[in-house]
Amino acid sequence: MGRSEELMNRAVQCIPGGVNSPVRAYQSVDMTPRFISRADASHITDADGVEYIDYILSWGPMINGHNNRRVLDKVTEACQRGMSYGAPTEIEVEMAEFMTSRLPHVDMVRMVNSGTEAVMSAIRTARGFTGREKIIKFSGCYHGHSDCLLVDAGSGLMTAGVPGSAGVPAGCTKDTLTAVYNDLSSVEALFEANKGEIACLIVEPVAANMGVVLPEEGFLQGLRDICTREGALLIFDEVITGFRVAFGGAAELFGVTPDLVTYGKIIGGGMPVGAYGGKREIMEMVAPLGPVYQAGTLSGNPVAMAAGLEQLKILTEDADIYNTLAKKGEKLFGGINALLKQYNAPCTMNHIGSLGCIFFTPDTVKNYEDAKKADTAVFAQYFRHMLGKGIHLAPSQFEAMFLSVTHTEEDIDKTLELVEDYLKNAK
Ligand SMILES: *Cc1c(COP(=O)(O)O)cnc(C)c1O
């Protein structure tokens, strides 16, 4: 028995499922999770000392690689001055100035502690601003675990929300309507059936929680146009895409301006941070300035801000950084795609920049219904093959692969070799 198995045996006695977030469990691949003891740059080491090339990167945050020196130094420095005060600090102002001066769609921003909180607060703000209660989300898009967003209505076109989790009262989700990703007519139909009642529409502008699904040409602009026409707010949930597909996220990359935007993951540099922001007149609704209440004991924590701000600075200093990431993405994901074709594998590769996903289905994947056609048993075989050869992938078909600036040519070549190895043997 390895150290991870030993730790898991202890963990399951006192932590539900042995993990502090369900995505970490290896349930769907029928294994014991690797317990991690350290990580550096693109590599991560488990409790038995086995080293892997890491494509999870803490589910996105470590875009500059693990153990980035500059981030580490800022954090250590901040720690020396006290961990938390519950009073305003200079670095919070610096963070907000840094963001608002570089993100044209963000006039004001509020810091929170997670992506879940950011989204929950943005929705509350949208409801407060519009005086309307209904919201639209897309099936297959994840927006954190707050009650009203835990709706996974499947083929939910035109259906009011059914909670996707026990413990969520139907009352909390009855105002959550679900549309089909990349299908503007499903959005039009919901607006038509709920005239003047929709507060906001929230979308992952590149969906990255049902695998990776790209917005089709015109989809995001179409959402913008419909929301403007109907007086509803457009919220981009950029918790994954923010500072990843471009510094300004999908809003910058696709040139579509949301009314509100949410951030998480990368913005904390590995610390628990989220943020929501947007147009001044909307953000002025938030307490203590306005009537929408939202608060947080540890929000804007100085140590977390030190990590996050330094990470964002690194991402803006090298003008070429997103090109570099995209090139690495092309080499890895484009390379995998070529192999899938060469071996006639019944798979589909979706990718954009440093985000990618192999779907184990031969058909195009442009929404949740398509994604669900993937063969998760085959994914599990592939996952076990890769893990066994030293590749740390998310243990689910429906998660992205993340690249950092520290992934080397050698890392990518090795990964491609192992994918080829798998495809040869799968034949
Ligand atoms: C991860 C994620 C969230 C939730 O963020 P947490 O920090 O896990 O609460 C929300 N939205 C999207 C798009 C995410 O990927």
Side-chain angles (χ1 to χ4, degrees):
M1 190 164 47
R3 189 88 180 111
S4 287
E5 285 75 15
E6 278 170 29
L7 288 167
M8 192 61 171
N9 286 344
R10 280 167 57 193
V12 294
Q13 303 302 317
C14 43
I15 305 173
V19 290
N20 279 313
S21 188
V23 293
R24 296 176 199 169
Y26 275 26
Q27 248 164 3
S28 69
V29 292
D30 201 20
M31 287 180 77
T32 303
R34 301 297 89 191
F35 279 66
I36 302 304
S37 58
R38 57 185 306 115
D40 193 66
S42 60
H43 286 226
I44 196 160
T45 305
D46 75 12
D48 284 304
V50 180
E51 198 171 310
Y52 306 85
I53 301 171
D54 187 24
Y55 292 108
I56 299 183
L57 298 176
S58 188
W59 306 86
M62 313 317 295
I63 191 168
N64 288 311
H66 293 285
N67 247 352
N68 180 279
R69 235 325 117 190
R70 282 179 53 182
V71 173
L72 218 58
D73 286 346
K74 289 288 177 189
V75 167
T76 342
E77 216 178 277
C79 284
Q80 311 298 318
R81 294 190 299 268
M83 305 281 285
S84 180
Y85 322 117
T89 54
E90 181 169 354
I91 194 161
E92 292 164 274
V93 186
E94 282 178 27
M95 179 64 135
E97 286 173 346
F98 194 85
M99 289 177 70
T100 54
S101 64
R102 281 166 185 79
L103 302 166
H105 52 294
V106 179
D107 301 329
M108 295 182 109
V109 63
R110 172 59 67 81
M111 288 292 152
V112 292
N113 306 289
S114 68
T116 295
E117 258 188 272
V119 171
M120 186 179 86
S121 311
I123 300 261
R124 185 181 301 147
T125 305
R127 283 172 159 158
F129 182 78
T130 57
R132 302 173 177 181
E133 297 197 350
K134 294 185 179 174
I135 64 172
I136 297 178
K137 76 177 283 289
F138 292 93
S139 55
C141 281
Y142 179 67
H143 301 293
H145 65 93
S146 68
D147 283 347
C148 79
L149 289 159
L150 276 185
V151 179
D152 168 22
S155 56
L157 176 60
M158 297 293 295
T159 53
V162 178
S165 161
V168 176
C172 285
T173 54
K174 73 172 175 23
D175 291 324
T176 306
L177 312 173
T178 311
V180 178
Y181 202 81
N182 277 324
D183 180 354
L184 288 173
S185 69
S186 73
V187 176
E188 289 282 14
L190 288 174
F191 272 103
E192 190 55 41
N194 299 274
K195 255 310 182 214
E197 295 183 281
I198 310 288
C200 62
L201 178 149
I202 184 162
V203 64
E204 283 184 76
V206 173
N209 286 287
M210 49 170 146
V212 174
V213 178
L214 275 56
E216 291 183 327
E217 181 82 47
F219 177 60
L220 297 174
Q221 186 59 48
L223 297 178
R224 176 67 279 176
D225 295 343
I226 296 169
C227 285
T228 303
R229 188 189 73 210
E230 301 291 337
L233 302 188
L234 177 64
I235 306 179
F236 276 2
D237 182 351
E238 300 236 36
V239 170
I240 283 188
T241 50
F243 317 108
R244 178 164 287 282
V245 296
F247 185 83
E252 177 185 320
L253 185 66
F254 296 104
V256 176
T257 306
D259 299 297
L260 289 172
V261 61
T262 58
Y263 298 110
K265 299 192 169 103
I266 288 176
I267 200 176
M271 301 291 279
V273 180
Y276 66 106
K279 297 207 170 91
R280 182 172 301 277
E281 67 268 29
I282 304 170
M283 289 304 289
E284 282 179 347
M285 293 297 289
V286 176
L289 198 53
V292 174
Y293 194 70
Q294 184 269 311
T297 301
L298 292 170
S299 293
N301 171 275
V303 181
M305 290 298 102
L309 182 56
E310 195 62 13
Q311 166 127 296
L312 297 193
K313 283 185 178 167
I314 295 169
L315 291 174
T316 50
E317 280 170 16
D318 172 2
D320 223 32
I321 203 161
Y322 289 97
N323 277 333
T324 307
L325 280 164
K327 275 193 203 126
K328 289 181 199 285
E330 195 44 53
K331 181 171 162 71
L332 176 64
F333 304 129
I336 293 176
N337 203 15
L339 288 170
L340 295 174
K341 296 227 159 74
Q342 185 187 333
Y343 286 89
N344 252 323
C347 296
T348 302
M349 184 81 215
N350 282 2
H351 63 107
I352 181 167
S354 56
L355 277 175
C357 174
I358 309 173
F359 284 103
F360 284 80
T361 168
D363 303 326
T364 309
V365 179
K366 59 184 178 58
N367 60 40
Y368 191 42
E369 284 304 308
D370 296 340
K372 282 196 295 192
K373 288 188 213 150
D375 189 331
T376 53
V378 178
F379 169 81
Q381 278 171 15
Y382 162 74
F383 173 86
R384 286 190 290 264
H385 171 87
M386 296 301 277
L387 188 79
K389 304 282 182 183
I391 308 294
H392 194 233
L393 300 172
S396 162
Q397 164 71 88
F398 305 108
E399 303 288 352
M401 275 173 92
F402 295 94
L403 277 164
S404 74
V405 296
T406 57
H407 281 84
T408 61
E409 298 266 314
E410 199 187 351
D411 289 334
I412 295 173
D413 285 335
K414 180 176 174 198
T415 309
L416 289 172
E417 258 169 51
L418 293 171
V419 170
E420 181 161 20
D421 223 36
Y422 169 79
L423 292 170
K424 266 185 197 154
N425 293 318
K427 277 199 102 86

